[in-house]
Amino acid sequence: PYTGPRLEDGTPLAGWWQRVGASLIDGILVQLAASPLSVPLQIKIQHRVQPIMDRFDTRASEGKDVHLGQFFHDYLDAVRPYLLLSVIGGLVAYALYYGLLLRFRGRTVGMSSVGIMVRPVSGPGRLAWRTVGIRLLAQQWPVLVLLVPGSPWLVVGGVAGVLYPLVDRSEEHT
């Protein structure tokens, strides 16, 4: 029998590992779905980066100084415009997947696979769009921070996104 924490109506709360497992499964599914759509973008990035790589390779094979700082500067200048598109595309894919499934089913595929769901604390029923939106913002703020150039919160945001299931109490998982 389950002896962990429960809601007032007796519904057991999901454990941390269940939530982490669901997040991992959902992340993999979204990535698998979005990756083929990003192939044209990846090809454009490769076309912009190839001359930089060739120049680096030529200098290194000729025994010349490779100027790593300049290499990384040129590399980032070449990919920077596409990184923004990539981040926005990933956010849209995740928001559609997560938002629609939570709103209409109360669970994602990952949540279903580990036997948990999200419901309003007040009792069974659908989550409101506002609640789904707040959950998405709370989970994805580390990615949104990437859209702010030079943000000092990049590392903090990345770690917080991974640890989010530890502190999420806005709507309980059951």
Side-chain angles (χ1 to χ4, degrees):
Y2 181 79
T3 59
R6 296 176 178 270
L7 292 175
E8 288 180 15
D9 67 3
T11 305
L13 299 180
W16 187 79
W17 284 111
Q18 287 176 294
R19 297 168 71 185
V20 168
S23 293
L24 287 173
I25 292 167
D26 290 333
I28 290 168
L29 290 175
V30 171
Q31 190 63 38
L32 286 173
S35 289
L37 300 175
S38 72
V39 169
L41 183 64
Q42 293 173 31
I43 291 170
K44 285 182 181 184
I45 291 171
Q46 184 58 38
H47 286 295
R48 291 202 56 177
V49 168
Q50 193 60 51
I52 296 163
M53 300 295 284
D54 290 342
R55 190 168 50 244
F56 179 84
D57 186 49
T58 300
R59 288 188 68 81
S61 59
E62 291 174 354
K64 296 180 181 175
D65 189 6
V66 292
H67 304 288
L68 283 177
Q70 185 63 46
F71 168 76
F72 286 117
H73 179 270
D74 294 345
Y75 186 91
L76 288 174
D77 279 350
V79 300
R80 188 173 289 118
Y82 299 105
L83 290 177
L84 181 62
L85 290 173
S86 179
V87 168
I88 291 172
L91 279 171
V92 168
Y94 187 79
L96 287 171
Y97 169 83
Y98 188 84
L100 292 172
L101 286 175
L102 268 194
R103 171 68 172 112
F104 294 109
R105 293 188 59 231
R107 61 180 67 194
T108 62
V109 174
M111 289 176 185
S112 290
S113 68
V114 297
I116 63 176
M117 65 180 294
V118 181
R119 64 160 229 207
V121 174
S122 60
R126 277 192 184 169
L127 295 176
W129 279 114
R130 180 178 185 277
T131 302
V132 171
I134 290 170
R135 289 180 65 84
L136 277 167
L137 283 174
Q139 289 177 342
Q140 295 302 313
W141 77 265
V143 179
L144 293 170
V145 168
L146 291 173
L147 302 177
V148 179
S151 173
W153 293 100
L154 292 177
V155 173
V156 173
V159 171
V162 173
L163 298 177
Y164 174 76
L166 282 174
V167 297
D168 171 32
R169 298 286 182 235
S170 59
E171 294 287 332
E172 301 295 347
H173 287 73
T174 60

